[in-house]
Amino acid sequence: MAKKLVIIGGGDAGTYTVEALFKKGAEVLKQFEITLVKKEKGGSASICAVPLALQGVFNMKEVAEIDPPETFVSHGIDYRTETEATGINLEESSVRLGSLGSPGSLGSPGSLGSPGSPGSLGSEEEIKYDFLVIATGRRPRVPDVLKIPGAEGEGRGLAGVYTMSTVEDGEKIEAAMNSPEAKNAVVLGGGTIGLQVALAFLKKGLKTRVVVGHPTPLSSILDPDMGSLVRARLEKEGVEFIFGKQVKEIKGDGAKVKSKVKSVVVGGPEAREGEGEREGEGEREGEGEREGEGEREEIPADIVVISRGMIPNTELAEKAGLQIGETGGIVTNQYLQVKRRQGQAEGGKYIKNVYALGDCVEVVDAITLRPRLSQLASSALVQAKVVANNLTGVGYSLEPALSPAVATISDFQVGTVGITTETAARFGMKVVSGKKEKPTRARFYQGRKTMAVKLLFDSYSERLVGAQLVSEEMVADRIDGLCNAIRKGVTAKELSRMEKSFDPCVSLHRDVMVDAAESAVEQFGKD
């Protein structure tokens, strides 16, 4: 008899889990009756591409729905859109569902229904499961000082204030920036998503300012010297940065019927800013909210985008009595099975038939061996393979995370893997760095580009523990290679002696990455 599998969440993690089961073939699929529930309309989307669609790199409609519901329904999936899981009963092995669409739309595979009031529940139903997969994703981190009505896209309070987390967010921002009234845009947060959205505003001709709590952007993934390269490029293009300031207030125009955003007030130093997304990787709740004193500045704004990181969406798991970790993510074991919270029946034990993955879980960092978040589509893909294999009886465990990431910011490709110098210091690790910036091709190659490489090595073992690359080309493959090097424990000496392929059209004899490793080797020799 087929086992009932319920998947909560239709983002990357939930979709990848279904696809991993698809790849195992029809015979394996027959073992399950799969129900996937998601709050959003439509099928799977590419959230990572939404900020780039705002820039005109892609068409928003193309990224809004990669695979329609019919794709999943054709494989026998009970694919329920506009449906919210409101409760999990671990003792009864059941999930309570509520429809966000029109009455009667619940339970129809692939049905889009008619949208109801945002957040309102229509018909309700309780379904049983043999296996449960929790893939509830993440939500924008909005500090208390910025939690004004309407700031999280609910359509109340100040018009013109947005977050950037969903396709719907992107569509609203796109409509706002195309309005003839839009002249001034302010982005709060200097992470990847914030900078990509800022560039979209700039390309549209809006005066664009980015408020960042640190001296350089991308501080969660790049050291200051590498982040300054990105800063210089964006400032040259016309982005105005405001560093080290705390947002005090978002002001409206005072209209009685529908007040619209008028300005952002900043002032005083900020302790930390939740700008840390690789693809939206968030900091812990409450960081970056220390009150600071200093001269206030009022910045005119017709559009404000709050992009200060993401936090795991764990409310459903918490209500069910599951363990939440120190990072705010759901605790799992290496098989991605969830854990009951201490202080209740069976507390502290892992549940064999309930899994969690994606942006809502915490993972183990491969360098620090401490819990962390890895809110990346690539992380969700690997985790989905682990879950799918364990669901089908193939023992599979998740390795500690290195979280390789790459992002396109203007003409730059920014790549990172492992830890930064700041992370090393926070965990009491001493590192030695090697850095080099040089062209990637022969001097007579027309239009050649440069690449900046910074490599971090553990001062005791001399093993590679982190890498940061900034260039206009060839970053992704190098970051993936460096990820494998970290995983294998490659040392600075070994990396400096690495054989590299050469052709004047695509590479140099003396590669920038090898030179960076040699720089570190020289420093080890001085100790």
Side-chain angles (χ1 to χ4, degrees):
M1 185 176 177
K3 299 290 186 180
K4 296 181 184 297
L5 168 61
V6 176
I7 300 173
I8 303 174
D12 287 338
T15 300
Y16 290 157
T17 301
V18 171
E19 291 177 349
L21 291 170
F22 285 172
K23 290 182 179 179
K24 292 184 174 294
E27 291 303 312
V28 171
L29 275 180
K30 288 179 182 177
Q31 299 175 24
F32 300 98
E33 291 180 11
I34 303 175
T35 299
L36 184 147
V37 299
K38 57 179 295 187
K39 292 192 288 186
E40 302 82 8
K41 295 180 183 180
S44 63
S46 178
I47 304 300
C48 308
V50 172
L52 298 173
L54 290 174
Q55 295 180 27
V57 176
F58 309 115
N59 185 288
M60 188 67 75
K61 290 182 179 179
E62 292 175 346
V63 305
E65 190 169 68
I66 304 300
D67 290 304
E70 291 75 20
T71 300
F72 301 93
V73 173
S74 66
H75 285 84
I77 309 298
D78 182 0
Y79 195 89
R80 308 192 186 192
T81 63
E82 295 185 275
T83 303
E84 181 176 7
T86 59
I88 298 170
N89 189 323
L90 297 174
E91 281 65 40
E92 298 292 331
S93 296
S94 65
V95 178
R96 188 170 63 255
L97 304 178
S99 171
L100 295 171
S102 59
S105 67
L106 184 64
S108 176
S111 172
L112 299 184
S114 301
S117 302
S120 65
L121 291 174
S123 55
E124 294 192 25
E125 178 187 1
E126 192 148 340
I127 61 174
K128 294 282 190 176
Y129 65 80
D130 295 300
F131 294 100
L132 175 65
V133 175
I134 301 171
T136 46
R138 65 191 186 184
R139 67 181 188 273
R141 191 181 80 88
V142 182
D144 289 338
V145 70
L146 301 180
K147 285 181 179 176
I148 58 173
E152 297 188 62
E154 297 180 1
R156 296 177 285 106
L158 289 182
V161 181
Y162 308 95
T163 54
M164 180 60 256
S165 179
T166 65
V167 170
E168 289 77 13
D169 290 338
E171 290 171 342
K172 291 175 183 177
I173 294 170
E174 185 176 50
M177 61 189 272
N178 287 330
S179 168
E181 298 176 356
K183 307 294 180 186
N184 295 283
V186 178
V187 176
L188 308 181
T192 300
I193 294 173
L195 297 185
Q196 289 177 334
V197 171
L199 283 165
F201 292 149
L202 194 69
K203 289 182 178 181
K204 198 65 183 176
L206 278 62
K207 187 173 182 62
T208 304
R209 297 175 178 89
V210 180
V211 181
V212 188
H214 297 284
T216 55
L218 301 172
S219 59
S220 70
I221 62 173
L222 295 180
D223 286 353
D225 54 343
M226 297 295 282
S228 65
L229 300 175
V230 179
R231 171 184 176 175
R233 172 60 64 91
L234 297 187
E235 286 181 332
K236 185 177 180 181
E237 293 192 16
V239 175
E240 293 184 23
F241 285 100
I242 299 172
F243 291 104
K245 297 285 188 178
Q246 181 182 13
V247 179
K248 300 290 187 179
E249 185 182 1
I250 299 178
K251 288 186 174 182
D253 59 10
K256 292 183 179 180
V257 178
K258 183 69 174 177
S259 184
K260 190 178 185 306
V261 66
K262 173 188 174 185
S263 62
V264 175
V265 179
V266 299
E270 188 161 20
R272 287 184 64 85
E273 175 148 337
E275 60 191 6
E277 343 94 5
R278 295 196 174 184
E279 195 167 300
E281 186 174 337
E283 294 190 10
R284 300 173 197 169
E285 184 78 49
E287 288 188 334
E289 296 177 26
R290 187 177 70 187
E291 288 295 329
E293 298 299 329
E295 184 179 350
R296 292 190 174 220
E297 178 184 358
E298 187 166 347
I299 309 165
D302 305 303
I303 303 174
V304 175
V305 174
I306 301 171
S307 182
R308 294 166 57 95
M310 302 287 175
I311 56 178
N313 205 359
T314 59
E315 182 180 356
L316 188 66
E318 288 186 79
K319 284 168 55 180
L322 300 181
Q323 183 74 37
I324 306 301
E326 63 186 70
T327 66
I330 300 170
V331 173
T332 68
N333 59 13
Q334 69 268 38
Y335 307 111
L336 291 173
Q337 294 163 330
V338 301
K339 185 179 184 181
R340 288 182 184 267
R341 188 167 56 236
Q342 295 285 357
Q344 57 177 321
E346 304 284 318
K349 292 186 177 180
Y350 290 98
I351 306 173
K352 292 184 178 180
N353 67 331
V354 182
Y355 299 84
L357 76 160
D359 293 348
C360 64
V361 304
E362 70 176 22
V363 297
V364 176
D365 187 278
I367 305 299
T368 67
L369 301 181
R370 297 295 302 161
R372 60 161 296 177
L373 302 176
S374 187
Q375 296 176 322
L376 303 168
S378 52
S379 296
L381 181 62
V382 173
Q383 293 166 12
K385 293 177 182 178
V386 172
V387 170
N389 276 286
N390 288 321
L391 285 170
T392 54
V394 180
Y396 218 71
S397 61
L398 183 71
E399 291 186 317
L402 283 170
S403 304
V406 64
T408 302
I409 299 173
S410 184
D411 293 331
F412 275 160
Q413 298 172 25
V414 177
T416 179
V417 63
I419 63 173
T420 62
T421 301
E422 189 274 335
T423 301
R426 190 174 355 127
F427 289 98
M429 295 178 61
K430 186 179 178 183
V431 294
V432 171
S433 66
K435 183 181 175 185
K436 187 70 176 180
E437 184 172 358
K438 64 186 291 187
T440 56
R441 310 179 196 225
R443 69 183 64 187
F444 42 80
Y445 184 88
Q446 295 295 317
R448 67 178 184 164
K449 309 295 183 182
T450 62
M451 177 176 288
V453 174
K454 186 172 186 178
L455 304 177
L456 303 180
F457 299 90
D458 176 66
S459 63
Y460 176 73
S461 65
E462 300 188 10
R463 290 180 174 178
L464 182 68
V465 294
Q468 302 163 33
L469 276 66
V470 177
S471 182
E472 293 184 46
E473 59 180 0
M474 300 190 299
V475 165
D477 287 346
R478 286 175 179 263
I479 282 294
D480 292 341
L482 288 166
C483 179
N484 287 328
I486 295 175
R487 188 80 68 186
K488 298 297 182 183
V490 172
T491 66
K493 252 179 210 178
E494 289 170 336
L495 199 54
S496 71
R497 296 171 182 173
M498 181 178 64
E499 291 183 287
K500 291 283 292 180
S501 58
F502 169 70
D503 181 282
C505 291
V506 295
S507 60
L508 284 178
H509 265 130
R510 293 186 56 83
D511 184 73
V512 59
M513 201 162 64
V514 173
D515 283 358
E518 285 184 353
S519 175
V521 170
E522 291 173 3
Q523 293 183 61
F524 280 119
K526 294 175 183 178
D527 292 341

